[in-house]
Amino acid sequence: MSDLRDLYQEVILDHSKNPRNFRKCETANRTAVGYNPLCGDKMTLFLTVENGIVTDASFQGSGCAISTASASMMTESLKGKTEKEADELFQQFQNMVTAPMDQEPDTEALGKLRVFAGVREFPARVKCASLAWHTLEAAIHGESDEPVSTE
Amino acid sequence: MTTSQIIKQNQTGAFDVEIVRKDFPLLKRMVHGKPLVYLDNAATSQKPLSVIEAIDRYYSEENANIHRGVHWLSERATEAYENARARIARYINAAKPQEVIITRGTTESINLVAFSWGWKNLRDGDEVLISAMEHHSNIVPWQMICARTGAKLRVIPVSDNGEILLYEYRNLLNPKTRIVAVTHVSNVLGTVNPVSEMIQWAHENGSLFLLDGAQSIPHMDANMRELDCDFFAFSGHKLFGPTGIGVLYGKFALLDEMDPYQGGGDMIRSVTFEKTIYNSVPHKFEAGTPHIAGGIGLGEAIAYLEKLNRHAAEIHETNLLHYGESLLRQIPGVRIIGNAKEKAGAISFLMDGVHPHDIGTILDQEGIAIRTGHHCCQPLMERFGIPATARASLAFYNSREDLDALAEALGKVRDIFH
Ligand SMILES: Cc1ncc(COP(=O)(O)O)c(C=O)c1O
């Protein structure tokens, strides 16, 4: 049986109640809107990228504990990373939350973000954890104004 | 419960939920090592054994295409299907079986009216009137047909309690209003709308009235000749029958005037490349091979309901709803969304500082099934300024213990988040 404590770890609860970098950024040069139609979660991500390096990341929106904490911790981990490093983080995060239960995915680069490993025991919540990350991908690579959707 | 048990119960007038629960095999199962507490009936209901057996029997003993064969099996299948139609017609007190069109569900029923009736009758400048508490399936088909015909979609607002504002409704009705399409019971708020009055006003105004009965017929009488609505839509799967089957009731004279919006087999009388003559009502609206087993299953679900003491079941459900609401009100930080005077079936709620989605996951670990999200009512969520709700929804086979389990599990949610 899956354990709720794997999902709602202290760090996750803390970030969901007190999200970091929860603000609008007027000077951001990359923004994207992410939307999870299933639960109505919506977030806007603001990135400032200078010379290929993320110098600021923040977000706004409403969501469940998992998606809020994920966005909060993601923005913390992005600062100082190159766009390429951000892409790699996205890949590792995606692998971690979607890997089959009998596999140990590579989480080397993820550091603190490893607390989200428990999400894969709760398939219905994987989209909550990855909403911020899909929004990040859209902000870095996207040209479309359409919100990215987890559906 | 066997038929004889139900009859015995009817005779005494009592309603014993423990006996009724035995008829629903799925209610016995365990989820995450806990006994299932099923409080997601507004999404879909569980099925009594008699329905499951009827479907099994159809495929084991009677399967054939209907309205097409001269062989014995086809006649048997046709008879079973048409008997189901007649039974549905009787249950909803339609004037005749032809007034029952068998569809895929509420959604298809509403689309049928929007596209068959709407395409023929709506003109530039006409108005279609819906309410702010409609399910997407009673919004989007009207938007689609309005876009094609130039008609305008107008919306009756809802009060903070979750009731339709009747004086606004009165003001919105005008000579251009061709049809009013409103839900009988809200799947989010549980509000029972004052539809008798609303239908009468519409008729006085010369407008037709479509009633979305998806959430009403599982909880209360749906008497077509008494309600006097022009169309009534519902889904089999919310009425203890199979998925993929539903009903559009329509007054015969209206149906007779309407053209079909789907063409194919079974809906024609004769076809040449120059001209096709449509079959009669209801067959002209039932193109193609239908969900025969589904129709038979729905007929059996209604047979089950006919044997139940519906009056006692209704009282039981009303008591449960009040009990559930009083339990939730005692939990600090819980707020009920939808406080209409008349409610049935659903309790939507929010908990301070906890997103409904997180409530849903934690309850699921306790074996409790509720729904969280916007419930296909995004405009209503916007009206209340909330992204989502948690919703517990009832059927007559729910018990006080189910609601006790819900309240206790909500305590655990608080423990995790506070
Ligand atoms: C009020 C209401 N109308 C329409 C529908 C659509 O029913 P179905 O999906 O069975 O077609 C629902 C079901 O969720 C409903 O609650």
Side-chain angles (χ1 to χ4, degrees):
Chain A
M1 189 187 139
S2 29
D3 192 333
L4 281 173
R5 273 165 307 192
D6 292 343
L7 185 64
Y8 295 109
Q9 303 202 26
E10 274 310 314
V11 189
I12 292 182
L13 288 173
D14 174 46
H15 276 265
S16 78
K17 286 178 207 163
N18 311 295
R20 323 294 198 266
N21 304 310
F22 190 77
R23 58 184 154 80
K24 199 169 166 176
C25 176
E26 301 291 353
T27 55
N29 52 14
R30 308 277 168 84
T31 62
V33 177
Y35 183 48
N36 182 343
L38 197 66
C39 38
D41 288 357
K42 211 171 199 170
M43 73 171 63
T44 309
L45 181 68
F46 306 93
L47 290 184
T48 309
V49 183
E50 288 161 18
N51 304 322
I53 293 175
V54 181
T55 55
D56 188 36
S58 65
F59 76 106
Q60 273 203 318
S62 76
C64 63
I66 306 301
S67 76
T68 306
S70 177
S72 168
M73 294 181 69
M74 179 187 84
T75 51
E76 277 196 322
S77 66
L78 285 177
K79 280 180 216 175
K81 296 271 192 309
T82 65
E83 284 177 288
K84 187 158 165 290
E85 284 166 341
D87 271 340
E88 280 164 13
L89 271 187
F90 165 76
Q91 276 309 335
Q92 284 207 0
F93 189 89
Q94 239 354 64
N95 287 344
M96 175 179 72
V97 294
T98 56
M101 291 303 286
D102 56 358
Q103 268 176 34
E104 263 323 303
D106 174 14
T107 55
E108 187 63 41
L110 288 176
K112 268 175 33 176
L113 296 170
R114 263 180 242 141
V115 291
F116 287 98
V119 170
R120 65 181 168 147
E121 293 171 45
F122 298 83
R125 307 306 299 276
V126 170
K127 284 176 179 165
C128 307
S130 43
L131 177 62
W133 291 90
H134 285 293
T135 314
L136 169 70
E137 282 296 280
I140 294 180
H141 302 290
E143 276 145 36
S144 143
D145 286 337
E146 287 278 300
V148 290
S149 163
T150 53
E151 290 301 291
Chain B
M1 176 162 50
T2 63
T3 306
S4 61
Q5 277 172 306
I6 301 177
I7 289 168
K8 213 177 283 160
Q9 195 168 287
N10 268 350
Q11 284 160 350
T12 62
F15 185 83
D16 187 337
V17 67
E18 285 314 315
I19 294 178
V20 170
R21 287 178 74 83
K22 293 199 171 80
D23 294 334
F24 293 80
L26 195 134
L27 295 179
K28 297 184 192 99
R29 72 160 300 156
M30 307 287 280
V31 169
H32 300 309
K34 310 255 169 70
L36 169 69
V37 173
Y38 190 73
L39 293 171
D40 195 17
N41 294 286
T44 199
S45 60
Q46 299 305 338
K47 324 303 174 197
L49 186 62
S50 58
V51 167
I52 300 166
E53 284 176 348
I55 294 166
D56 189 72
R57 195 178 332 116
Y58 167 71
Y59 282 124
S60 315
E61 297 173 18
E62 293 178 338
N63 176 50
N65 210 328
I66 57 169
H67 302 137
R68 294 183 182 185
V70 293
H71 59 79
W72 183 85
L73 261 187
S74 173
E75 280 174 10
R76 285 294 306 120
T78 305
E79 191 185 320
Y81 194 70
E82 290 305 322
N83 282 347
R85 188 195 308 276
R87 175 160 247 145
I88 296 164
R90 217 178 325 124
Y91 189 70
I92 63 174
N93 195 24
K96 42 184 156 183
Q98 290 94 310
E99 293 184 326
V100 169
I101 299 165
I102 301 183
T103 65
R104 271 195 309 126
T106 310
T107 303
E108 191 177 64
S109 298
I110 297 173
N111 274 276
L112 196 163
V113 178
F115 285 89
S116 283
W117 178 87
W119 184 242
K120 190 163 178 175
N121 292 287
L122 289 174
R123 295 283 167 273
D124 200 13
D126 284 348
E127 292 180 5
V128 172
L129 189 53
I130 62 172
S131 88
M133 64 170 84
E134 298 311 311
H135 189 278
H136 294 164
S137 65
N138 199 26
I139 302 174
V140 184
W142 299 114
Q143 283 175 330
M144 291 164 77
I145 198 67
C146 283
R148 277 166 218 202
T149 57
K152 209 169 147 208
L153 189 64
R154 307 201 63 183
V155 184
I156 317 165
V158 168
S159 74
D160 290 343
N161 276 347
E163 291 174 325
I164 281 183
L165 291 167
L166 286 177
Y167 59 92
E168 297 272 7
Y169 172 50
R170 229 211 220 292
N171 287 339
L172 281 161
L173 279 173
N174 73 70
K176 289 181 283 185
T177 313
R178 300 299 312 280
I179 191 165
V180 181
V182 167
T183 194
H184 196 176
V185 170
S186 161
N187 62 315
V188 176
L189 309 166
T191 311
V192 183
N193 287 316
V195 293
S196 294
E197 201 174 4
M198 292 180 74
I199 291 167
Q200 198 189 328
W201 291 0
H203 287 164
E204 284 164 12
N205 187 60
S207 320
L208 295 182
F209 202 104
L210 177 143
L211 197 52
D212 174 350
Q215 298 295 348
S216 63
I217 194 166
H219 306 289
M220 60 189 70
D221 260 2
N223 184 330
M224 293 305 114
R225 277 183 280 181
E226 203 173 285
L227 283 168
D228 197 34
C229 53
D230 300 288
F231 301 104
F232 186 87
F234 66 94
S235 299
H237 69 98
K238 297 185 199 281
L239 192 65
F240 317 102
T243 53
I245 201 83
V247 168
L248 173 68
Y249 157 87
K251 283 183 182 162
F252 187 85
L254 285 168
L255 295 177
D256 202 35
E257 280 289 302
M258 282 157 54
D259 293 329
Y261 82 117
Q262 289 182 351
D266 284 336
M267 54 75 71
I268 47 84
R269 185 154 290 143
S270 78
V271 177
T272 67
F273 286 119
E274 288 71 39
K275 186 172 167 59
T276 290
I277 301 172
Y278 301 138
N279 204 336
S280 54
V281 175
H283 305 294
K284 72 175 175 185
F285 296 110
E286 296 178 353
T289 301
H291 182 11
I292 305 169
I296 291 170
L298 176 55
E300 197 61 38
I302 286 177
Y304 179 86
L305 291 170
E306 284 171 344
K307 287 179 211 138
L308 203 67
N309 183 337
R310 286 296 287 160
H311 181 63
E314 236 177 83
I315 294 173
H316 166 71
E317 273 194 58
T318 307
N319 289 340
L320 271 186
L321 187 81
H322 293 155
Y323 181 68
E325 290 193 332
S326 70
L327 284 181
L328 292 189
R329 285 210 181 90
Q330 285 164 30
I331 303 172
V334 167
R335 175 159 68 102
I336 292 173
I337 303 293
N339 293 291
K341 275 193 234 44
E342 291 257 357
K343 281 181 74 170
I347 311 173
S348 264
F349 60 94
L350 298 175
M351 200 176 204
D352 270 353
V354 192
H355 191 280
H357 215 165
D358 296 306
I359 299 177
T361 295
I362 297 168
L363 262 45
D364 176 56
Q365 291 300 304
E366 300 295 318
I368 302 171
I370 61 158
R371 181 156 172 201
T372 65
H374 54 60
H375 317 285
C376 300
C377 291
Q378 288 182 359
L380 183 66
M381 295 293 115
E382 203 143 298
R383 156 66 182 84
F384 281 92
I386 52 181
T389 73
R391 178 190 70 189
S393 57
L394 306 169
F396 56 77
Y397 48 62
N398 284 120
S399 62
R400 282 182 165 234
E401 287 72 31
D402 291 338
L403 295 164
D404 291 336
L406 171 70
E408 196 185 324
L410 287 173
K412 291 196 180 155
V413 175
R414 286 193 67 78
D415 291 346
I416 290 180
F417 276 86
H418 292 274

